[in-house]
Amino acid sequence: MLRGLTVGTALFCGAVLTFGVTEAASFELHVVVPCGPQDKAYVLEGTSHEFCLAPDKVIDETGIVKAERYPVISRVIVDVTQAASDKLLAVSSQNVGNDLAVLFNGKLIFKATIDAPLKLDKFQLSLNNAPEQVDALVDAFPGPKT
């Protein structure tokens, strides 16, 4: 749990559009795992807490349609492709009670517990611990040009 939020409460459903992403940005969603002696630990932005991540990505930048700023507070709404949504459901179904974490451009910016299997087309990232990453995410994944 991160600042009172879990993945189940921090994520929500919505519609999805399928378009490309900005090449320069990296986005990875991973399951958090216990650290082994050879594992790289990431420090959660804005904290001193370290976490290790499973090597397999649940979602990467190819699964992101767009990122939008949530009004007023440090949250980002991330639209994902249908394939990313399907993979998130499969992985979250097998990892209820474990944590998911987001690496953005190599920085650990979000971590939350999986309360239940997640079938989502959009999810929210509450970035109170890394508010400077909100605009960076939105800029990196602006979505389709209309």
Side-chain angles (χ1 to χ4, degrees):
M1 197 176 289
L2 177 63
R3 301 197 193 281
L5 292 176
T6 63
V7 172
T9 57
L11 304 174
F12 65 94
C13 296
V16 66
L17 300 170
T18 310
F19 293 92
V21 298
T22 303
E23 281 188 45
S26 70
F27 182 99
E28 300 175 8
L29 183 68
H30 292 266
V31 174
V32 176
V33 296
C35 290
Q38 302 301 318
D39 292 335
K40 177 180 179 179
Y42 294 88
V43 176
L44 180 63
E45 289 284 295
T47 75
S48 60
H49 303 286
E50 292 185 343
F51 301 95
C52 291
L53 308 177
D56 294 335
K57 299 172 192 169
V58 178
I59 297 173
D60 67 15
E61 59 277 349
T62 63
I64 305 300
V65 175
K66 69 178 175 178
E68 297 178 277
R69 176 179 263 292
Y70 191 88
V72 183
I73 57 178
S74 297
R75 284 195 186 150
V76 175
I77 301 165
V78 180
D79 289 27
V80 297
T81 65
Q82 186 61 50
S85 178
D86 293 344
K87 188 166 182 190
L88 180 59
L89 176 60
V91 171
S92 64
S93 295
Q94 297 173 354
N95 286 284
V96 172
N98 293 327
D99 293 335
L100 283 176
V102 172
L103 281 180
F104 176 60
N105 292 334
K107 296 179 182 179
L108 183 60
I109 63 168
F110 179 83
K111 183 190 79 65
T113 302
I114 303 168
D115 284 340
L118 304 168
K119 177 66 175 160
L120 308 167
D121 295 328
K122 294 183 181 192
F123 56 84
Q124 281 186 80
L125 299 177
S126 179
L127 299 175
N128 294 332
N129 58 312
E132 69 283 354
Q133 298 298 337
V134 172
D135 288 332
L137 264 168
V138 172
D139 291 345
F141 301 99
K145 296 183 183 195
T146 54

